Amino acid sequence: KTSSTEWTLITTDLLAEGVHFDPATSSFRDIGYRAAIANLSDIAAMGGTPRFMLVSIAIPPTCSTTEIQELYRGMMQAGSPYDVRLIGGDTSASQQGLFLNITLTGVVKPRQALLRSGAREGDRLYVTGTLGDSRAGLDLLKSRQRPKLRPADARFLLARHHRPSARIAEGQWLVKQGLAGADIDLSDGLTGDLRHISEESAVGAEIIAGALPLSPACRAYAAARRLDGRQIALQGGEDYELLFTVPRSKHVRFEQLAGKTQFHFTCIGSITSKRLGLRLRTGTDTT
C-alpha cells in the first residue's frame, strides 16, 4: 500500500523446529528473538522503520506455557528498541514440532525504499559489521568437541548466533543520504544473497577475498578448526548484516560521510557486467 507520505513494507518468515531452530541448543527466548530479528532485518534492508508485528504459532504438546511465554518475550525484546507493537496473529496445535510465523510491517518514504534491483556495473559493494560469526557460533553449539578458544571469543560467537542485530539504523542512514543503489540483508550467506542482487539487477559481481571483514573471534575459531575464515564468511548465514552497493559517482561522498558515523562499513568488491557472473578474487585491493 502506498500514500503520498509513506510506503508500507511487509515481510514474513515461517520457522520450523528442526529446520530453522533447535530447542536443544537455543532457549525459547533466543528462538523468539532471532525470529523477530529475521523480519526486522528485512525492513532494515529496505531502509524502513518497523511498525507492527503479527505472530502465528503452532504449538506441540511438548511445549509448556512458560516456554511459549519466553518465546514471546524474546520476540518483543527484539522489537522493543524500535517500538514494534504486536497487533495480532493466530494460534494452533501441532503434532510435528513448533512452527512460528511472523509478519512484520514497516514504512519508508515514497520511492526511497532500497531494492535488490538497483545495482549497476561499476558500483562498489559494501557490507556492514563482520561476517561468519553466526555460522561459527552455530558450529560451536553443534560440536561435540569444542575447539580451544578464549572464553570471550566463544561467548562472542554464541551471542552473535543467539542474539544477532538488525541493522535498522544503517539502512535508514543509507536512505537518508541517498547513497545506496541496491541492498539486501545477509540471511542465506554472502554468496547466496549476492546472487539475489545479481539476478534482480542483471549484473555480475567480484568479491575480494582478503577484504571480507572477520571478527577476531571468528578468525580464532577458523584457526582452531584449521579452516579458511574467508569461506566461513562467504557461506555462513544468518549474520543479518546488510550487503549494499554504492554507485561509482557517489563513492567518494559515501566514504566521507561514512567516516563520520559509528557504523562499520567495509568495501568487499564491485559490481561487474552480467556476462562475468559472480567471481572471487584473491588479495585485498578493492580499487
Side-chain angles (χ1 to χ4, degrees):
K1 181 180 179 180
T2 63
S3 73
S4 60
T5 58
E6 62 184 24
W7 284 1
T8 297
L9 309 174
I10 302 177
T11 183
T12 187
D13 274 298
L14 174 63
L15 305 178
E17 182 178 346
V19 178
H20 302 100
F21 60 87
D22 184 355
T25 57
S26 298
S27 70
F28 278 80
R29 184 172 292 200
D30 286 340
I31 292 169
Y33 190 95
R34 290 180 66 246
I37 288 293
N39 287 267
L40 287 163
S41 186
D42 287 334
I43 300 297
M46 299 188 78
T49 299
R51 282 288 185 260
F52 303 111
M53 181 166 60
L54 297 98
V55 177
S56 293
I57 185 170
I59 305 170
T62 53
C63 286
S64 68
T65 300
T66 299
E67 289 170 334
I68 299 304
Q69 289 173 338
E70 284 295 291
L71 189 76
Y72 274 88
R73 288 191 181 100
M75 287 185 279
M76 299 314 297
Q77 185 177 2
S80 178
Y82 315 107
D83 197 27
V84 172
R85 300 182 183 183
L86 178 62
I87 61 171
D90 194 17
T91 304
S92 176
S94 168
Q95 300 301 320
Q96 301 293 328
L98 179 65
F99 292 85
L100 175 62
N101 183 80
I102 296 177
T103 298
L104 184 68
T105 72
V107 295
V108 69
K109 290 184 178 180
R111 293 173 293 280
Q112 291 191 18
L114 299 174
L115 307 176
R116 301 176 183 184
S117 56
R120 300 293 181 264
E121 186 175 347
D123 290 0
R124 294 288 181 92
L125 193 61
Y126 284 84
V127 292
T128 61
T130 55
L131 305 178
D133 297 324
S134 180
R135 173 60 181 272
L138 178 61
D139 289 346
L140 283 176
L141 287 170
K142 291 184 173 181
S143 177
R144 293 184 178 180
Q145 185 175 1
R146 288 190 177 185
K148 293 182 179 180
L149 290 177
R150 294 190 309 129
D153 287 338
R155 287 194 299 270
F156 174 84
L157 295 175
L158 292 174
R160 284 278 283 160
H161 176 70
H162 286 311
R163 296 298 179 102
S165 298
R167 301 302 184 184
I168 298 289
E170 287 88 333
Q172 292 174 342
W173 183 83
L174 290 172
V175 163
K176 181 179 179 180
Q177 302 301 331
L179 296 171
D183 196 1
I184 191 172
D185 72 312
L186 296 178
S187 56
D188 297 330
L190 176 58
T191 53
D193 289 312
L194 178 57
R195 186 169 289 108
H196 293 317
I197 287 182
S198 176
E199 292 171 352
E200 293 288 336
S201 299
V203 295
E206 182 177 74
I207 295 176
I208 311 303
L212 296 174
L214 299 175
S215 67
C218 190
R219 291 182 186 277
Y221 170 81
R225 286 290 199 198
R226 297 183 180 180
L227 299 173
D228 186 343
R230 295 171 298 183
Q231 288 301 315
I232 301 175
L234 287 168
Q235 299 171 5
E238 298 183 342
D239 281 315
Y240 298 114
E241 300 294 346
L242 299 183
L243 171 68
F244 63 96
T245 65
V246 175
R248 181 184 300 171
S249 61
K250 299 180 180 180
H251 176 248
V252 173
R253 181 61 174 164
F254 171 82
E255 290 287 348
Q256 291 173 341
L257 293 175
K260 299 176 182 179
T261 72
Q262 299 299 313
F263 304 138
H264 182 191
F265 299 123
T266 303
C267 183
I268 63 168
S270 59
I271 298 298
T272 61
S273 67
K274 182 179 180 180
R275 63 181 177 82
L276 295 177
L278 303 182
R279 299 185 299 175
L280 179 67
R281 179 158 63 90
T282 58
T284 59
D285 187 7
T286 58
T287 59

